[in-house]
Amino acid sequence: MAAVRTRGEVIRHRLSVTAVLVILLITLAPIFWITATAFKPRNLATTMPPTVFFEPEISPFVKLFTKRSQLREPPTEEVYNAAPWWEKTVFDGGEKVVRSGRGEVQPSGYPSRFLNSLIVAITSTVLAVSMGTITAYGFSRFKVKGEDDWLFFILSTRMLPPVVVAIPMFLMYRAVGLNDTHLGLIILYTAFNLSFSVWLMKGFIDEIPKEYEDAALVDGYTRMQAFFKIVLPEAATGIAATAVFCFITAWNEYAFALIMTNRRAQTAPPFIPSQVGSGLPDWTVIAAGTFLFLLPVAIFTFLLRNHLLRGMSFGAIRK
Amino acid sequence: MAHIELRGVTKTFGAARALSDLSLDIADGQFFVLLGETGAGKTTTLRLIAGLEKPTEGRVFIDGQDVTGWGAAERDVALVLQQYSLYPRYTVRQNLEFPLKSPIRPSSPAEIAARVARVAKTLRIEHLLDRKTDRLSGGEMQRVSIGRAIVRTPKVFLMDEPLSALDAKLREALRAELKDLQMNLGETFLFVTHDQVEAMSMGDRIGVLNKGVLVQVGTPHEIYTNPINTFVARAVGSPAMNLMPGAVERGQAVAGSLRLPLEGAESGRPLIFGIRPEDLELGGEGAPARVVDVENHGVEKIVTLQVGAQALRATVPVTLRVVAGDAVGLGWNPGKVVLFDQATGRSLRHGG
Ligand SMILES: Nc1ncnc2c1ncn2[C@@H]1O[C@H](COP(=O)(O)OP(=O)(O)OP(=O)(O)O)[C@@H](O)[C@H]1O
Ligand SMILES: [Mg+2]
């Protein structure tokens, strides 16, 4: 980083630091709010003015993962004492954990929705990025007739707001039995992300000198082998950046998930708010669900941060 | 070791014509240099021989076998590229091993290790073996590139201006090393350059390429003393050959105000007189000329002269005392004068 020297530079430096801090605050405030609410006792979640200092509780997470019902009357001392610590937190909130006839705890809908989200987002990301990479490689390295038109066509699939086609898609999906299936959502999200992935990857692959592959071809490798041995490692940065974008898009998608799924393949985004409506909304549980939902993206982005920093500059400062 | 032949090769990229009807014969064990300006089609020629491009017309033969339809992997050639020839994520050792690990020509691990060690020793890059290639200097990179070519024993070595990115000193050193290497290996080399000094000092034979056309092929001596046309005359030699348009009148070459003796040429025909700077003589009797500039190059001086409207360059021994502004008598060695037809630029000795 350049050393700060003159008065003008000092002032400009302070101004930009202030601006960054303000933006950071604005961005992080909701995340802080959700995180705080996820650990609040229920009665403090919606107080006015908001409660900032409180004793954190784990009960929202217990409630998030279990099926519960309202208690008409408080549990007997015997039952309460026999319950494990986490069940007590539910009793404390005036609810009880629903158990099957054999005493097994019934899970809520959340874990399976979360798993669905993971399955759909990861699979569609892998598909979109791998197909996008291969397509981009083809466009980048070979003469394709009407290349520009094809690329524009691919991009144009992105110009229509996806929700516009939601109803026809829904009808078609119903006709072929893809409603409420993982496969259905995976196909949808892969299709969303593919055009984006092709364009992004083409930019990255164009940056890789094709002389590397020429050298490998002369050295006795096939184009396929040259692709896997030389191009793919060189494109790692681009692949990471593209994967993060695709993953976030698929992970956050709400409208189609809401329309196309309801039980088996439902993802977390439509599920979490659906909990608001059942009885009195327990905002702490919703916050807990949202908090956990934020984690995979954060972890994924954190793991790929080095690649991302280089990738965001779109090859401008490669090496 | 191999003999390479191109027969009537034409290569077009869309409307652009990179090579026109190129025929070329490179004997087994020869160090052949292809000399040409930028855009002349040198890289294209190499890529055609390597199998990275297919000719639009014509055929390519290696060892008498028609390889026109073969892929690059099957041709068994080694290529040192103008740039970007090392894999950036690999260490020097991995780069050297890469051609040996190819599935088409597999080698045993012991053999790979032995060959890499031998090449590293030959090129004095042993201390670099475990370094990443993006941490190398330009000269080191080029050594490794050459190493990657010679680590196996291909039929032919193709080198695309491997030295052009280096500074003068290193270039000279590597030039000598490459030449030695070729002599020791006894292999066929096709070396491409735009640097005529490199071409003259390294080549057994030189091919001069101009805008996709192979203009002349010959030994460095032939090309230098007997250029086929004014293009080649200008392309080789430093400073270049002096070219003066004029005609012969009564046993004298007349070019503007310059008159010098010349026997045995057809009178009246519009010609261009070509004379190398070292074949001009200063002092004594001769045509009057004025010294415009003197460059001292240590062993010799390059003198720029003005004769009428004509500027000429002469190389003279350093011991000759001339300074800018001197009036001198200019003579030449009539036996060394090359005559070109003024209309076609072709040398009369080559039927111009
Ligand atoms: N892939 C290509 N597509 C279109 N034109 C090309 C292609 N490759 C080469 N050309 C053209 O063919 C001509 C010869 O190019 P080539 O690369 O062989 O020149 P060169 O002699 O190697 O030049 P340099 O000394 O600059 O490397 C040039 O006019 C170039 O623009
Ligand atoms: Mg070139």
Side-chain angles (χ1 to χ4, degrees):
Chain A
M1 197 184 276
V4 178
R5 264 181 241 105
T6 67
R7 254 183 83 87
E9 277 180 275
V10 171
I11 292 172
R12 225 177 310 146
H13 182 73
R14 293 211 175 132
L15 279 178
S16 49
V17 169
T18 314
V20 168
L21 282 177
V22 169
I23 294 170
L24 205 62
L25 269 177
I26 294 171
T27 320
L28 290 181
I31 294 174
F32 167 77
W33 194 246
I34 283 291
T35 311
T37 309
F39 291 96
K40 276 180 188 172
R42 187 173 181 182
N43 58 346
L44 294 183
T46 51
T47 54
M48 217 33 164
T51 314
V52 179
F53 299 100
F54 57 92
E55 208 171 302
E57 277 192 14
I58 202 74
S59 64
F61 291 92
V62 176
K63 293 185 205 161
L64 178 66
F65 283 102
T66 53
K67 202 167 176 178
R68 292 152 288 121
S69 64
Q70 294 282 330
L71 279 176
R72 301 262 167 66
E73 54 208 36
T76 61
E77 194 124 333
E78 200 182 326
V79 171
Y80 186 83
N81 285 337
W85 64 268
W86 49 266
E87 201 168 351
K88 284 182 186 141
T89 66
V90 177
F91 284 134
D92 293 344
E95 290 177 317
K96 72 171 166 79
V97 174
V98 176
R99 287 175 185 271
S100 70
R102 278 183 283 153
E104 284 158 342
V105 176
Q106 297 290 294
S108 69
Y110 187 78
S112 66
R113 305 306 199 280
F114 194 86
L115 189 66
N116 286 344
S117 269
L118 280 178
I119 292 170
V120 169
I122 290 174
T123 317
S124 69
T125 299
V126 168
L127 284 176
V129 172
S130 49
M131 285 158 68
T133 305
I134 293 168
T135 312
Y137 180 76
F139 275 118
S140 174
R141 291 298 194 259
F142 300 102
K143 279 212 181 69
V144 181
K145 240 194 186 142
E147 172 170 338
D148 291 344
D149 299 333
W150 278 112
L151 283 171
F152 178 79
F153 166 71
I154 290 172
L155 188 66
S156 71
T157 62
R158 201 56 200 212
M159 293 177 178
L160 196 71
V163 182
V164 172
V165 294
I167 303 298
M169 284 305 296
F170 174 77
L171 295 175
M172 284 192 271
Y173 263 40
R174 202 175 55 182
V176 296
L178 280 173
N179 264 351
D180 202 17
T181 60
H182 292 110
L183 182 64
L185 276 192
I186 289 169
I187 292 174
L188 265 180
Y189 293 172
T190 306
F192 283 169
N193 280 329
L194 194 53
S195 67
F196 184 64
S197 165
V198 170
W199 271 80
L200 213 52
M201 284 314 300
K202 177 152 188 305
F204 285 109
I205 291 177
D206 282 345
E207 291 276 315
I208 304 171
K210 73 181 189 22
E211 280 83 355
Y212 292 147
E213 292 150 75
D214 289 342
L217 289 179
V218 172
D219 282 345
Y221 291 81
T222 64
R223 188 163 277 282
M224 241 353 184
Q225 290 159 340
F227 175 76
F228 282 110
K229 278 189 186 292
I230 308 294
V231 179
L232 226 44
E234 281 297 297
T237 293
I239 291 173
T242 312
V244 168
F245 285 125
C246 291
F247 184 80
I248 291 175
T249 309
W251 187 251
N252 286 345
E253 207 286 327
Y254 176 76
F256 277 89
L258 183 70
I259 296 165
M260 300 295 188
T261 61
N262 45 51
R263 292 187 70 81
R264 233 171 351 121
Q266 192 179 43
T267 53
F271 176 78
I272 295 171
S274 77
Q275 298 308 93
V276 176
S278 58
L280 272 179
D282 189 340
W283 291 104
T284 62
V285 178
I286 291 166
T290 310
F291 171 73
L292 286 186
F293 187 70
L294 288 174
L295 286 183
V297 175
I299 292 169
F300 193 38
T301 314
F302 181 76
L303 288 179
L304 296 178
R305 68 195 180 285
N306 285 334
H307 281 307
L308 279 178
L309 278 181
R310 268 182 288 155
M312 290 305 174
S313 60
F314 288 83
I317 50 163
R318 272 180 92 243
K319 289 202 171 169
Chain B
M1 280 218 261
H3 162 238
I4 298 172
E5 193 186 343
L6 299 184
R7 227 180 265 164
V9 168
T10 296
K11 177 73 189 173
T12 55
F13 295 103
R17 185 172 267 257
L19 292 177
S20 306
D21 194 22
L22 183 99
S23 293
L24 181 65
D25 215 309
I26 303 173
D28 195 1
Q30 200 167 63
F31 197 115
F32 191 98
V33 178
L34 204 53
L35 175 68
E37 297 168 355
T38 176
K42 307 181 296 289
T43 301
T44 307
T45 311
L46 280 197
R47 293 173 61 85
L48 281 164
I49 296 173
L52 294 169
E53 307 275 0
K54 296 272 178 280
T56 314
E57 270 170 53
R59 316 219 59 88
V60 180
F61 296 84
I62 295 180
D63 266 345
Q65 193 153 23
D66 187 343
V67 297
T68 316
W70 294 19
E74 303 152 315
R75 293 200 187 182
D76 198 14
V77 302
L79 181 59
V80 180
L81 289 165
Q82 218 163 347
Q83 50 176 348
Y84 297 125
S85 44
L86 297 179
Y87 307 121
R89 261 153 231 273
Y90 290 3
T91 62
V92 170
R93 186 191 303 282
Q94 287 166 327
N95 264 285
L96 293 176
E97 286 171 348
F98 194 77
L100 298 173
K101 289 186 168 168
S102 106
I104 209 170
R105 289 179 283 273
S107 314
S108 71
E111 194 185 341
I112 292 177
R115 278 174 180 252
V116 168
R118 203 183 60 215
V119 165
K121 194 159 170 239
T122 313
L123 294 172
R124 300 197 304 279
I125 46 175
E126 288 151 301
H127 58 295
L128 304 173
L129 278 177
D130 294 308
R131 248 200 253 170
K132 278 264 160 56
T133 52
D134 48 6
R135 305 256 189 292
L136 298 179
S137 76
E140 289 165 343
M141 276 197 198
Q142 280 312 353
R143 270 168 215 267
V144 179
S145 303
I146 294 165
R148 224 190 51 198
I150 64 174
V151 73
R152 52 192 187 91
T153 39
K155 293 214 181 98
V156 49
F157 292 88
L158 306 172
M159 309 211 165
D160 193 356
E161 310 200 33
L163 310 180
S164 64
L166 307 178
D167 66 63
K169 230 189 167 131
L170 192 58
R171 202 181 323 168
E172 228 161 278
L174 272 179
R175 207 188 281 163
E177 276 180 41
L178 256 182
K179 184 72 192 158
D180 277 354
L181 189 73
Q182 189 266 342
M183 298 232 251
N184 291 337
L185 295 171
E187 306 280 2
T188 314
F189 271 52
L190 173 52
F191 187 98
V192 155
T193 182
H194 65 264
D195 179 349
Q196 50 101 8
V197 179
E198 218 164 88
M200 299 301 273
S201 60
M202 295 175 86
D204 295 331
R205 280 172 88 74
I206 297 176
V208 182
L209 203 56
N210 180 27
K211 300 197 182 91
V213 177
L214 190 62
V215 186
Q216 186 175 10
V217 178
T219 63
H221 184 73
E222 281 165 12
I223 301 260
Y224 188 77
T225 55
N226 199 359
I228 194 169
N229 60 19
T230 49
F231 175 81
V232 178
R234 274 193 216 101
V236 295
S238 171
M241 185 181 257
N242 295 297
L243 295 171
M244 300 166 277
V248 176
E249 285 169 24
R250 277 174 268 115
Q252 274 199 315
V254 181
S257 63
L258 183 80
R259 283 172 176 273
L260 285 169
L262 189 70
E263 296 295 327
E266 181 189 342
S267 278
R269 178 172 176 184
L271 293 172
I272 294 172
F273 303 106
I275 184 85
R276 292 279 173 200
E278 62 272 24
D279 298 321
L280 285 175
E281 290 151 14
L282 292 195
E285 298 293 299
R290 209 165 50 77
V291 176
V292 180
D293 183 46
V294 180
E295 287 171 39
N296 200 327
H297 284 252
V299 285
E300 57 182 26
K301 285 178 182 170
I302 297 174
V303 181
T304 309
L305 301 156
Q306 193 75 35
V307 187
Q310 188 100 42
L312 300 178
R313 312 253 276 168
T315 47
V316 298
V318 264
T319 48
L320 189 80
R321 304 181 59 147
V322 277
V323 289
D326 283 359
V328 291
L330 176 67
W332 69 11
N333 181 347
K336 299 275 185 164
V337 176
V338 185
L339 301 174
F340 301 96
D341 182 79
Q342 216 176 76
T344 61
R346 200 172 167 90
S347 164
L348 299 195
R349 287 186 224 170
H350 290 273

